[in-house]
Amino acid sequence: MFVLATPVSHLTRVGRVTAKQLEKIGIETVEDLIFYYPFRYDDLSRVLTIDKLFPGVEATVRGRVELIKNRRSPVKKKILTEAIVSDDTGSLKVVWFNQPFLTKNIRPGDVIYLAGKANFDYREIEFVNPVYEIVRRGAPLNTAAIVPVYHLTGRITQKQLRFLIKHSLDFIGEVPEWLPKDIIKRRDFISITEALRQIHFPASWAEVEEAESRLKFDELFLFQLLAQRIKHLLKKSRAIPIEFKKRQTVKFVNSLPFKLTNDQRLAAWEIIKDLEGDRPMNRLLEGDVGSGKTVVAAMAMLNVVLNKHQAALMAATDILARQHYKTICKLLADFNIKIGLVTRSEKKINYKLGARNPVGGKKNFDSRFVTHNSDIIIGTHALISAKGAVPADRHGPASGGQDKIEFKNLALTIIDEQHRFGVEQRKFLKANSGQSGITPHFLSMTATPIPRSLALALYGDLDLSIIKEMPKGRKKILTKIVDSKNRSGAYEFIREKVKEGRQVFVICPLINPSDKLGVKSVAEEYQKLRKDIFPEFKIEALHGKLPSAAKEKIMTEFSENKINVLVSTSVVEVGIDVPNATIMMIEGAERFGLAQLHQFRGRVGRGEHQSYCLLFSDNLVGQTKERLRALVSSNDGFALAEKDLALRGPGEVYGTQQSGIIDLKLAKLTDFLIIKQAKEEAEKIIADDPEFKKYAEIKARLRLAEEAVHLE
Ligand code: ADP
Ligand code: MG
């Protein structure tokens, strides 16, 4: 472990600048480096002698540099680097454009590999801008092989990263194995060390496959362990049976300004039935954006409170937690219920505690006060990560406070858009529910449309409720693709709508993956719209780096129609509810997955006015075009998910970024066979040794997964 934790700055050729650049792609340790998988490979493994080259062939050549020099091209004043390279069979002309430094790196007499596509130039064979690599000891990393290609940003180059990963693998020698020996044997896996070598530097495509199946198994096995450990825990546990309070529930349903859909009723009924039992409910509620999951959750929580117990609802972000808090306060206004909010920056209770109560007027309580004095507690991760706790260092001893969140008598927990399946739920299980021997019922809600068959394959016999039907009277959102020719027309359209009183969301794609909080992309779009396009409107920008108070202020003003246009990253993706916002404008739409675009679109079309979704995108070709067109023609999240699955493959659709459900780098939710294997193996282990007494490595690995939640 110690070796894996070595900071990258200890490696040769990594100075402060490079370390900073690596940090941008999330790499800080040797471990991060070797687990940074390539997203594709270039097959440069075909090595030919010069006489075997012909125009159009892609190949690698090994030869001696006879001559290399720079010259300025007469026409465009570009700098050309020209070289003659020869082997025993002939010689070859090479040209590079605009890389004058090459004459410093490559000297006459050097033996080099060149990889690229051979061209004919005046009946002479030549390479233009080939990849080069000077022949040294050891196998070539950038040519003459199946070469890994990584997602990069900043100034790190492919060659640099390949070198560092190779170096790290050599430096480590053996990566500690965490899979039990008998699983490796039974499933005929290669070791983790071999798998990592082969995923980066495969000798053949068969090796890529071999490495992938091992590493995918690791990911899915971890996932299964997390899920099944919970299942095991729940099997032995008892929950508080919640009696169905019919009269009050009817009163609640009648107080709603709308009629529940049949699917909402059915889902609520399934949940209420589960709650009546003395075994903890473990149910997933799936429903497209805008299908009305919140009311269903409210109904369940109401029943729990009427049974004199507490319910907790956890959301993914501060904004969403606050919004849920407001919505739930409003929905349950007639019931005299104490509702508390716990986020990192804010802890409050809706209830007037009375003049004589010393804390009555205070705005900010501590979390424990809220969790002890509210019937319903709504919050973010702050609900499950101990107050003020410093996240434990990944490899060091756990540090920080031990004071766990405590409830008085928690009987139901609900997580809206669970991020790490099995991890967050377990944190709730470990939290002090206030009654020993009692486990709260559990409901997880998601807008990710996972088809039932897939969900079952993954979660096994997890109970599932699906809301397929949208509330009646929703107008179809009109969706249009806007290319550069129509951009100004679209701006005019938006201007008109804003003049009519409507509001607009603008979503920006991240400019680079390292800018996780989207500061840069949002700032640029914001400036452009404010200065050049809509100077007359009130525009605000929302991104992950803003302090919560600022976010809250902007969201409140937006929901009160004091802001016309809200520019934001995908943070508004899940759950924001502002019925007067009728235009969803998405920049760089081609960069998002269908499912995600559909989520964005679900932010509008919630009120009485006709709503629009404008997909701004240029250079639309082939598959991208087909994807965006699918969005134009369909409003059904499940249908779109299937379409996306067919077009892009499951990795893209249910990849980490898209689903937010499970942390998979290589594996896909449709790797059915591996899911099945992982499930079987996890079941065996849990049945045999649920505390992992014999499996120290597995135990350590699970702990890492749990700590990662804190680090987010
Ligand atoms: P989601 O499932 O995406 O969380 P919400 O619970 O936020 O959806 O509901 C979206 C909007 O639809 C809210 O404004 C809610 O009040 C409204 N809504 C919920 N159920 C119905 C219904 N049966 N008829 C009409 N509107 C509804
Ligand atoms: Mg929601």
Side-chain angles (χ1 to χ4, degrees):
M1 271 314 189
F2 169 69
V3 186
L4 284 174
T6 309
V8 284
S9 53
H10 290 200
L11 298 174
T12 28
R13 294 209 209 166
V14 180
R16 272 240 306 280
V17 178
T18 308
K20 263 252 137 39
Q21 295 289 322
L22 285 169
E23 208 183 310
K24 283 193 180 174
I25 47 176
I27 296 176
E28 290 171 27
T29 63
V30 166
E31 179 178 11
D32 297 335
L33 265 174
I34 62 178
F35 283 94
Y36 196 81
Y37 303 145
F39 73 96
R40 68 173 168 89
Y41 302 87
D42 282 341
D43 191 349
L44 308 177
S45 60
R46 184 170 182 183
V47 182
L48 294 178
T49 49
I50 290 175
D51 64 336
K52 294 280 175 354
L53 291 179
F54 54 89
V57 69
E58 278 187 66
T60 298
V61 159
R62 180 187 162 127
R64 224 177 76 96
V65 179
E66 302 295 342
L67 185 130
I68 182 162
K69 61 178 191 323
N70 288 330
R71 90 183 156 87
R72 201 169 278 279
S73 88
V75 195
K76 287 186 178 155
K77 294 273 186 291
K78 276 190 184 147
I79 297 211
L80 303 179
T81 306
E82 293 177 321
I84 302 288
V85 173
S86 65
D87 65 8
D88 293 344
T89 68
S91 64
L92 167 73
K93 192 175 143 204
V94 187
V95 186
W96 286 278
F97 292 99
N98 286 324
Q99 302 179 55
F101 53 86
L102 285 180
T103 52
K104 295 211 173 65
N105 297 352
I106 310 173
R107 303 293 175 119
D110 283 347
V111 178
I112 65 173
Y113 287 109
L114 292 170
K117 197 173 184 176
N119 287 336
F120 252 151
D121 182 45
Y122 299 108
R123 309 181 59 202
E124 236 185 330
I125 244 343
E126 75 166 14
F127 266 179
V128 179
N129 289 330
V131 179
Y132 76 92
E133 180 165 24
I134 296 177
V135 175
R136 293 201 177 82
R137 259 182 303 135
L141 294 181
N142 302 295
T143 54
I146 297 172
V147 173
V149 183
Y150 302 93
H151 282 300
L152 294 182
T153 56
R155 294 202 299 277
I156 295 287
T157 64
Q158 297 288 349
K159 279 186 177 176
Q160 221 175 343
L161 198 59
R162 284 172 203 146
F163 171 82
L164 291 173
I165 290 173
K166 181 71 175 42
H167 185 52
S168 301
L169 286 168
D170 293 345
F171 173 78
I172 284 183
E174 285 286 306
V175 180
E177 185 59 72
W178 78 290
L179 280 192
K181 280 200 186 65
D182 58 318
I183 294 186
I184 294 188
K185 216 167 140 211
R186 193 161 42 238
R187 302 292 173 183
D188 202 16
F189 285 137
I190 53 176
S191 71
I192 182 78
T193 308
E194 285 171 303
L196 288 169
R197 276 181 200 286
Q198 293 183 20
I199 199 80
H200 291 291
F201 306 109
S204 64
W205 289 105
E207 284 202 0
V208 175
E209 230 168 85
E210 218 174 23
E212 275 185 1
S213 55
R214 161 70 213 248
L215 297 172
K216 281 178 174 184
F217 180 88
D218 280 26
E219 292 173 1
L220 291 166
F221 183 56
L222 180 68
F223 174 81
Q224 286 295 335
L225 286 171
L226 291 166
Q228 288 184 28
R229 183 175 53 174
I230 283 175
K231 226 175 255 173
H232 177 83
L233 251 156
L234 292 182
K235 234 195 291 182
K236 300 183 306 186
S237 326
R238 283 200 44 243
I240 308 270
I242 299 298
E243 191 192 318
F244 174 43
K245 301 286 184 184
K246 187 170 174 199
R247 195 177 52 83
Q248 304 273 62
T249 307
V250 170
K251 175 180 158 195
F252 170 76
V253 171
N254 289 338
S255 76
L256 295 172
F258 45 74
K259 222 174 134 244
L260 290 177
T261 64
N262 286 330
D263 282 356
Q264 279 173 315
R265 278 171 198 279
L266 182 61
W269 184 243
E270 287 170 338
I271 292 166
I272 282 167
K273 279 284 142 202
D274 281 0
L275 291 177
E276 282 178 341
D278 63 357
R279 295 258 167 245
M281 165 172 77
N282 187 23
R283 183 172 285 277
L284 176 66
L285 172 61
E286 263 188 47
D288 208 346
V289 266
S291 62
K293 296 185 288 292
T294 318
V295 225
V296 175
M299 226 187 294
M301 294 195 288
L302 173 64
N303 274 281
V304 168
V305 174
L306 293 174
N307 277 264
K308 306 249 176 313
H309 278 88
Q310 290 179 302
L313 168 62
M314 189 176 96
T317 64
D318 281 18
I319 292 181
L320 289 174
R322 288 197 187 96
Q323 183 183 285
H324 274 319
Y325 173 77
K326 277 185 196 152
T327 310
I328 302 289
C329 285
K330 215 158 87 189
L331 282 171
L332 300 178
D334 299 344
F335 291 86
N336 196 27
I337 290 174
K338 283 177 250 174
I339 302 172
L341 176 70
V342 177
T343 68
R344 225 164 274 289
S345 61
E346 199 178 8
K347 280 113 196 147
K348 64 180 181 188
I349 304 184
N350 71 331
Y351 192 72
K352 309 277 178 298
L353 289 161
R356 266 192 294 149
N357 191 321
V359 283
K362 258 210 282 182
K363 188 104 205 235
N364 236 345
F365 309 121
D366 73 3
S367 343
R368 187 171 305 200
F369 183 84
V370 179
T371 53
H372 272 250
N373 291 284
S374 317
D375 304 315
I376 291 177
I377 302 98
I378 295 167
T380 55
H381 270 114
L383 267 185
I384 48 171
S385 35
K387 168 191 70 165
V390 184
D393 185 278
R394 266 208 287 179
H395 301 283
S399 52
Q402 286 304 307
D403 43 349
K404 274 198 221 144
I405 291 277
E406 271 180 27
F407 296 90
K408 199 172 62 194
N409 53 10
L410 186 66
L412 167 68
T413 45
I414 303 179
I415 302 186
D416 195 13
E417 292 299 339
Q418 187 164 200
H419 269 170
R420 301 234 176 184
F421 190 86
V423 173
E424 288 160 341
Q425 182 176 3
R426 189 171 135 92
K427 295 239 164 198
F428 265 115
L429 291 176
K430 281 163 92 181
N432 187 348
S433 73
Q435 318 118 96
S436 64
I438 289 296
T439 302
H441 294 285
F442 180 75
L443 177 70
S444 176
M445 305 198 290
T446 180
T448 309
I450 310 174
R452 188 179 281 270
S453 59
L454 229 146
L456 290 183
L458 196 66
Y459 306 118
D461 47 1
L462 177 102
D463 298 306
L464 192 62
S465 295
I466 301 187
I467 305 182
K468 275 211 159 177
E469 181 189 6
M470 285 305 230
K472 288 229 165 47
R474 287 270 162 87
K475 289 203 183 77
K476 190 168 180 293
I477 300 161
L478 296 176
T479 305
K480 277 229 147 54
I481 301 171
V482 180
D483 59 17
S484 50
K485 288 199 303 289
N486 297 315
R487 188 173 268 271
S488 55
Y491 285 143
E492 280 321 302
F493 177 78
I494 292 174
R495 194 186 314 280
E496 249 162 59
K497 292 293 161 194
V498 175
K499 281 187 183 150
E500 287 169 18
R502 304 288 82 73
Q503 290 163 278
V504 185
F505 285 111
V506 178
I507 305 276
C508 315
L510 296 188
I511 289 175
N512 56 50
S514 65
D515 181 23
K516 280 196 189 102
L517 301 173
V519 182
K520 182 154 181 266
S521 57
V522 167
E524 282 177 9
E525 183 74 16
Y526 169 66
Q527 288 305 338
K528 182 178 108 186
L529 292 178
R530 203 174 60 110
K531 288 210 177 108
D532 309 335
I533 317 281
F534 302 124
E536 71 270 41
F537 294 152
K538 173 103 165 106
I539 303 181
E540 288 293 347
L542 203 61
H543 57 69
K545 197 127 193 203
L546 287 179
S548 333
K551 280 189 213 162
E552 163 76 343
K553 183 161 174 281
I554 291 174
M555 278 318 300
T556 308
E557 287 182 8
F558 190 66
S559 63
E560 290 167 353
N561 198 2
K562 289 179 186 151
I563 294 171
N564 307 116
V565 179
L566 182 66
V567 183
S568 120
T569 55
S570 52
V571 284
V572 296
E573 176 184 353
V574 270
I576 296 296
D577 194 24
V578 181
N580 190 49
T582 59
I583 296 183
M584 169 57 66
M585 165 185 152
I586 301 165
E587 279 288 350
E590 74 283 351
R591 299 221 206 171
F592 297 101
L594 260 186
Q596 204 179 8
L597 289 169
H598 178 67
Q599 297 276 323
F600 294 147
R601 181 167 62 180
R603 300 296 111 227
V604 297
R606 289 165 171 251
E608 51 188 310
H609 301 284
Q610 176 62 52
S611 288
Y612 306 87
C613 176
L614 304 177
L615 306 166
F616 282 54
S617 183
D618 285 325
N619 55 52
L620 268 185
V621 283
Q623 222 200 61
T624 322
K625 194 163 175 174
E626 208 179 321
R627 276 195 317 148
L628 295 190
R629 284 206 177 142
L631 205 71
V632 172
S633 59
S634 173
N635 262 312
D636 176 346
F638 281 83
L640 286 169
E642 263 157 39
K643 177 92 185 172
D644 213 12
L645 208 62
L647 282 173
R648 293 195 307 162
E652 298 283 322
V653 182
Y654 294 112
T656 325
Q657 269 116 40
Q658 302 296 333
S659 76
I661 281 198
I662 150 173
D663 197 12
L664 299 175
K665 283 201 275 189
L666 279 176
K668 297 151 191 161
L669 293 199
T670 47
D671 282 322
F672 287 114
L673 188 66
I674 307 179
I675 290 176
K676 188 162 157 279
Q677 293 177 346
K679 201 153 128 194
E680 286 167 8
E681 296 296 355
E683 267 159 11
K684 255 184 236 162
I685 289 189
I686 303 260
D688 168 47
D689 179 11
E691 307 290 326
F692 307 112
K693 292 206 175 79
K694 289 183 259 169
Y695 301 99
E697 291 83 7
I698 289 182
K699 203 167 170 178
R701 183 67 178 253
L702 291 175
R703 199 162 46 231
L704 282 185
E706 280 170 8
E707 280 163 12
V709 168
H710 281 304
L711 298 173
E712 268 165 8

